[in-house]
Amino acid sequence: MSRIRWGVLSTGRIAEQFAHDLAFVDNAQLVGATSRTRANAQAFAERHGGIPVFDDYAAMLAAPDIDAVYVATPHTLHAGNTLDAVVAGKAVLCEKPFTTTPAELEPVIDAARQRGTYVMEAMWTWFLPAIRRAKAWIDAGRIGRIVQIKADFGYPQRPYSPDMRVYDARLGGGALLEMGVYPVALLWLLLGRHPERINVMAKFAPNGVEDDLTAILDYGDCTATIGTSFRAKLQNWAYVIGEDAYIAIPDFWRTHECVLFDLDKPVDQFHDGRKSLGLNYETQAVTDDLLAGRTESSIVSLDDSLNIQRLMAAIRAAAEA
């Protein structure tokens, strides 16, 4: 096999971005789409080269000419959709958050590993060149021991409606799963361990889902402050502060750049100069893994995803306490 043939399962905004960036991926091709309605799938297909349309998810998973599927359904459907794909023998790139609870994710991991089927959470930020460069600076000791991490991600979601997907409790609504997953995942990428204590201040929408949240996480030797919100546009930057220097990452969730500071002086800077949105880096990594016969990502492992779920569950529990 010299090319991975991709199908898109659900055709919303993030699937449009995935399909757009697939053009930047070597050895990958978009060959099919399916969605909640055939009309949605047909419109998506026409925008992306007239690719074949499948009547439903099962039909796509049964297609012999699809090697991998990109799951872009609402959060609460991720586990079931991924399990169905694993049973069908399809590799899976599933949008984040992978599931809504750790308990939902555990059987997905078991099935993938038992069958030797490749499954990865679409934690695209981890693959961005600027994030990889910032992590390399940290690993090389250029900022010294980490003392603090600060990161937030929020955009206003108005007007409020309990039926709006991001608020809909039946679909895993709330700021933590929808947007907070970005700063939570960044903490796991950089620290790779669970905090000793968590303090949370949260505000709630009329239907009870959190719509604004700030968490302070005590790791013993360092502290992290993260935030997420549906109420306002947050700065959406990340700062990794060490004893000797710090790194600033503008718009860290989709960043093009990172800057290394010694006190107030920038001493190193990286800019990726990309033309894509940035989703192509994760898709390229998955494609390369599949062509090499790997059954799990070395960058976003299934254990990483489970630990991110566990950390979000701990934050949620602290918010509800």
Side-chain angles (χ1 to χ4, degrees), residues 16 28 39 59 64 71 78 84 123 131 139 151 167 222 229 231 242 255-256 262 272 282 286:
E16 290 283 355
V71 175
H78 287 176
D84 288 344
M123 200 62 69
I131 295 293
D139 292 345
Y167 284 104
C222 67
S229 185
R231 297 190 176 197
T255 189
H256 291 256
D262 180 357
D272 65 20
E282 67 174 1
V286 173

Side-chain angles (χ1 to χ4, degrees), residues 9 57-58 60-62 69-95 97-121 302:
L9 199 156
Y57 298 169
M60 169 175 281
L61 296 179
V69 293
Y70 173 68
V71 175
T73 50
H75 310 331
T76 50
L77 301 179
H78 287 176
N81 294 152
T82 300
L83 280 170
D84 288 344
V86 168
V87 170
K90 307 299 184 187
V92 179
L93 176 62
C94 180
E95 255 313 317
F98 211 148
T99 53
T100 61
T101 67
E104 282 184 342
L105 183 54
E106 288 168 355
V108 175
I109 292 174
D110 290 343
R113 286 178 170 164
Q114 287 170 7
R115 293 174 177 267
T117 302
Y118 190 103
V119 173
M120 192 189 89
E121 184 175 16
L302 294 172

Side-chain angles (χ1 to χ4, degrees), residues 3 16-30 273-285 287-288:
R3 182 177 294 269
E16 290 283 355
Q17 295 172 346
F18 170 84
H20 174 274
D21 272 13
L22 202 65
F24 296 90
V25 178
D26 296 333
N27 302 322
Q29 181 181 6
L30 186 61
R274 70 176 186 259
K275 296 181 180 180
S276 67
L277 298 171
L279 278 74
N280 54 300
Y281 298 108
E282 67 174 1
T283 313
Q284 183 71 68
T287 297
D288 290 345

